[in-house]
Amino acid sequence: MPVSRLDVVYRKLLLTKFFTKGWGSPENLQKLFDFRKIISNRETCYKLVPKNYPITLINEVKRADCRIIEGKFRSPFAVYVPDLVSEEIQDAFFQMVLPLKWKDDNYKPVCIHLAGTGDHYFWRRRNVMAKPLLKAGIGAIILENPYYGIRKPKEQIRSSLHYVSDIFVMGGCLVLECLVLLNWCERLGFGPLGVTGISMGGHMASLAATSWPKPLVLVPCLSWSTASSVFTEGVMSDSIDWDMLQAQYISNELYCDKLSKLCKIVDDPFACDLSRLPALDTISELDEHLGSNYVTPHKVIRLFNVAHSNCTTINYKHSSQTKSLIISGEYSLTNLLKEPPPLLTSKKSILEKKKRAKEALWFMKGLMDECTHLKNFSVPYDTSLIISVCARTDGYVPRGGIATLEDIWPGATVKYVDCGHVGAYIWYRKVFRESIKEAFDRAKTKLPPPSPSIYEI
């Protein structure tokens, strides 16, 4: 399936650069790896947030068509890993958009809306998603992302996260903050409850949904099962300084010898679109056994190195299934990787950077899989309440060679719109809203009414 040209052109027009200061310290990445193992397990994650976690209400405004309530609370992530959270992002801020009067006191659905890339403050989600859904009787909570809007560090320019580790901090914060808000909504007698988001917000919503131990509506839009392809193959990868990341990677053995062995590339690295990834020069021999049932960036780099050393066949193991790479004649892996796809030929400088930054790119793939791949997280409690909306020609979120949502979450529904990422946001927002309404209709027929609350808001 070709990539949307609109996605390519739109990305070129944007000035935003990502990870301008590098990977983040190896020590911080190690802490994030360790904490990911806790929050990716529903039982251990849910216990991190008390049901009565304190929330402070700041303001309430009544308008002709709704009530808007503003609140804040200290992010639980800042409580558990305080040295990873800067002062600006420690407090979570949100807006709650509610009808002036519920149509049915036994049915008070509320959906949390998480922000996509560049979606600062509340106004966009409030006007594009929350208010139209209010007409269908669905309330909303709009949560400000860490590093965005009110929570943006002073020295950060627009949405340009400084470190790769920042996006993992963002995800960890949002998972725990959603738990705070879901518990709060339950205490207030709201239900059924749900979480949604577009693009990055859709993936963050998916991660958050894995931690809730009860049925939960989930509608991720324009996202998929991992963020690794977004930053290594998608058009956003052009916004990364690969030379700088490569220099940092090879200059510190903690990255290339320790961390690259700890993070796992979840999907078969040779089932992805190989032409989108750079060829690797021969820099060392294969120095460790490749027979384990997972592949790390460290292993994949050396596997490619052997492929470039006149080998005829390499056996490797992925997902407990032995496979072979046949390296011979005109069909050699080397030749396959030499020719860039049409999408990248128009930007030779970016392509050359990727080729020079071969180890950094595979390390990025491993990091993103380790911390964002849905296979590394619990399966949501009730997958029948999941409706995902994807764009067929998405240039931001490539899906080739990546585990599907239907495989990871059997019972989930996946819908497709016939356009790219940007086009889907412009022309198909009604489909996003209709999918949210459809998922809440399913929940209404399946779930009992929420318990009455002694609290009022």
Side-chain angles (χ1 to χ4, degrees), residues 92-273:
F93 294 84
F94 67 91
Q95 276 190 359
M96 192 174 208
V97 183
L98 298 175
L100 297 174
K101 181 175 176 58
W102 293 98
K103 297 177 182 178
D104 183 350
D105 287 338
N106 292 321
Y107 180 64
K108 300 178 180 179
V110 171
C111 189
I112 298 173
H113 295 256
L114 300 184
T117 302
D119 189 354
H120 296 254
Y121 304 105
F122 307 117
W123 63 270
R124 186 182 303 171
R125 282 168 287 164
R126 185 177 65 239
N127 291 309
V128 170
M129 298 296 289
K131 282 195 170 182
L133 284 169
L134 203 61
K135 296 176 182 178
I138 300 172
I141 292 180
I142 308 166
L143 178 60
E144 183 82 278
N145 267 22
Y147 303 102
Y148 278 23
I150 306 169
R151 306 175 74 181
K152 184 173 76 68
K154 295 176 183 177
E155 68 278 12
Q156 179 182 303
I157 299 173
R158 295 185 295 274
S159 309
S160 301
L161 300 185
H162 288 159
Y163 300 102
V164 176
S165 59
D166 288 347
I167 202 160
F168 305 140
V169 172
M170 178 190 289
C173 285
L174 290 172
V175 167
L176 298 183
E177 290 162 17
C178 282
L179 282 180
V180 172
L181 293 170
L182 290 169
N183 279 325
W184 184 59
C185 285
E186 265 200 345
R187 296 204 313 273
L188 291 170
F190 295 123
L193 305 176
V195 59
T196 188
I198 300 172
S199 191
M200 179 182 72
H203 195 77
M204 295 298 183
S206 296
L207 297 178
T210 66
S211 64
W212 185 245
K214 302 167 189 178
L216 182 72
V217 166
L218 169 61
V219 183
C221 303
L222 308 183
S223 66
W224 201 233
S225 53
T226 179
S228 65
S229 63
V230 173
F231 293 104
T232 60
E233 299 174 60
V235 295
M236 279 180 64
S237 64
D238 293 354
S239 301
I240 296 173
D241 187 341
W242 290 104
D243 282 346
M244 180 267 293
L245 290 180
Q246 175 75 4
Q248 282 193 8
Y249 178 81
I250 63 177
S251 68
N252 191 327
E253 63 181 12
L254 290 177
Y255 293 126
C256 52
D257 289 339
K258 182 181 179 182
L259 292 174
S260 67
K261 295 178 181 178
L262 295 178
C263 53
K264 303 177 184 66
I265 296 174
V266 175
D267 299 304
D268 185 346
F270 307 103
C272 63
D273 185 354

Side-chain angles (χ1 to χ4, degrees), residues 161-423:
L161 300 185
H162 288 159
Y163 300 102
V164 176
S165 59
D166 288 347
I167 202 160
F168 305 140
V169 172
M170 178 190 289
C173 285
L174 290 172
V175 167
L176 298 183
E177 290 162 17
C178 282
L179 282 180
V180 172
L181 293 170
L182 290 169
N183 279 325
W184 184 59
C185 285
E186 265 200 345
R187 296 204 313 273
L188 291 170
F190 295 123
L193 305 176
V195 59
T196 188
I198 300 172
S199 191
M200 179 182 72
H203 195 77
M204 295 298 183
S206 296
L207 297 178
T210 66
S211 64
W212 185 245
K214 302 167 189 178
L216 182 72
V217 166
L218 169 61
V219 183
C221 303
L222 308 183
S223 66
W224 201 233
S225 53
T226 179
S228 65
S229 63
V230 173
F231 293 104
T232 60
E233 299 174 60
V235 295
M236 279 180 64
S237 64
D238 293 354
S239 301
I240 296 173
D241 187 341
W242 290 104
D243 282 346
M244 180 267 293
L245 290 180
Q246 175 75 4
Q248 282 193 8
Y249 178 81
I250 63 177
S251 68
N252 191 327
E253 63 181 12
L254 290 177
Y255 293 126
C256 52
D257 289 339
K258 182 181 179 182
L259 292 174
S260 67
K261 295 178 181 178
L262 295 178
C263 53
K264 303 177 184 66
I265 296 174
V266 175
D267 299 304
D268 185 346
F270 307 103
C272 63
D273 185 354
L274 292 173
S275 63
R276 301 288 293 277
L277 301 176
L280 296 173
D281 300 326
T282 300
I283 56 174
S284 66
E285 296 180 357
L286 185 64
D287 61 357
E288 64 179 279
H289 181 54
L290 291 172
S292 62
N293 61 1
Y294 62 86
V295 178
T296 67
H298 184 78
K299 290 180 180 180
V300 103
I301 288 168
R302 280 149 183 79
L303 187 57
F304 269 110
N305 291 337
V306 174
H308 284 263
S309 301
N310 298 318
C311 294
T312 56
T313 303
I314 300 172
N315 293 317
Y316 71 100
K317 199 172 184 181
H318 189 269
S319 301
S320 302
Q321 181 180 4
T322 301
K323 303 184 179 183
S324 296
L325 292 176
I326 308 299
I327 314 298
S328 61
E330 62 179 321
Y331 299 105
S332 70
L333 184 63
T334 304
N335 290 336
L336 175 65
L337 290 172
K338 276 182 179 177
E339 293 299 324
L343 171 63
L344 296 179
T345 52
S346 61
K347 230 174 181 184
K348 286 187 176 180
S349 61
I350 294 296
L351 182 63
E352 288 305 315
K353 281 188 176 184
K354 284 190 177 185
K355 284 184 176 180
R356 292 196 300 268
K358 55 255 181 183
E359 291 93 354
L361 188 139
W362 284 108
F363 185 48
M364 178 74 82
K365 192 168 185 67
L367 282 179
M368 289 292 166
D369 270 1
E370 177 68 25
C371 295
T372 73
H373 203 298
L374 298 179
K375 275 191 175 180
N376 286 334
F377 290 75
S378 298
V379 176
Y381 189 90
D382 186 347
T383 58
S384 71
L385 299 181
I386 300 171
I387 301 178
S388 174
V389 184
C390 301
R392 291 192 188 278
T393 58
D394 199 323
Y396 281 78
V397 189
R399 297 187 296 275
I402 298 173
T404 69
L405 289 180
E406 298 98 323
D407 289 339
I408 301 173
W409 294 342
T413 300
V414 180
K415 299 179 179 180
Y416 293 90
V417 293
D418 290 319
C419 62
H421 196 90
V422 175

